[in-house]
Amino acid sequence: MLRLTFVILFGLTTLLLSPVAMAQGTGVSFGVLQTDTSQPVDITSDNLSVNQEDGSALLTGNVLIIQGEMRLSADNVLVVRKTDGNGIERLEARGNVLLVSGEDAAEARTADYTIENGTVVMRGDVLLTQKGNTLGAEQMTVNLTTGNATLNGRVRTTLPGSGGD
């Protein structure tokens, strides 16, 4: 019993002192250290529909967005152009959203990627997986330029078992 108590306390201490756990309240690292958000954005999908009035485009079916090391996939993505018509302002991903950078992956219901500031805001049952550890929250904001992420709204984690006694 004493050994089991020690294993539990050691595991909790290790978790609480780890960079991921220390940062849960304020943030965690996500993906490669930095992503160059000025790189081209490559987009593929099954279908494309363009709105001539505002210049937006709706991509549906197996949407995959690639920018450097960052991969974003979703059921559909709305591409919103800047008001001056020069370039993309943001990408609004909906349904089965998956964001991958390096070895890190995050799932959510929706994600909005603002190209200019390199920020991705994921909402709805967010699940972040990093090296076998998982963190969940209602929302996660990722700054692709710095590699920092912040989780908000009932943050939860899964602790690995002791593997023995």
Side-chain angles (χ1 to χ4, degrees):
M1 181 66 172
L2 181 60
R3 182 170 182 220
L4 179 60
T5 303
F6 174 76
V7 169
I8 291 171
L9 287 175
F10 179 74
L12 286 174
T13 302
T14 302
L15 176 72
L16 292 174
L17 294 178
S18 73
V20 169
M22 285 175 44
Q24 276 184 30
T26 57
V28 296
S29 63
F30 182 82
V32 295
L33 292 178
Q34 294 180 334
T35 298
D36 181 2
T37 56
S38 67
Q39 290 182 325
V41 177
D42 236 2
I43 304 174
T44 58
S45 69
D46 292 339
N47 304 294
L48 168 67
S49 175
V50 177
N51 181 330
Q52 295 298 328
E53 291 178 22
D54 63 9
S56 66
L58 180 62
L59 301 131
T60 58
N62 300 309
V63 182
L64 176 61
I65 299 166
I66 300 171
Q67 185 180 37
E69 292 288 322
M70 188 270 301
R71 308 282 185 269
L72 178 69
S73 63
D75 292 339
N76 62 69
V77 173
L78 179 65
V79 178
V80 179
R81 298 194 53 84
K82 291 182 179 179
T83 53
D84 63 8
N86 295 322
I88 299 170
E89 181 178 325
R90 72 182 177 282
L91 303 170
E92 299 176 356
R94 303 294 181 259
N96 297 309
V97 176
L98 177 63
L99 177 67
V100 178
S101 182
E103 295 181 12
D104 297 346
E107 301 172 33
R109 290 186 191 152
T110 70
D112 294 332
Y113 175 24
T114 305
I115 306 290
E116 192 169 306
N117 66 12
T119 302
V120 178
V121 179
M122 302 182 78
R123 293 182 185 90
D125 298 323
V126 176
L127 181 63
L128 170 62
T129 304
Q130 295 180 308
K131 298 180 184 174
N133 297 315
T134 58
L135 289 166
E138 289 305 310
Q139 178 176 307
M140 179 174 79
T141 303
V142 180
N143 183 319
L144 296 173
T145 305
T146 64
N148 294 326
T150 303
L151 288 97
N152 298 307
R154 198 70 183 149
V155 179
R156 54 204 177 278
T157 187
T158 302
L159 302 174
S162 65
D165 303 311

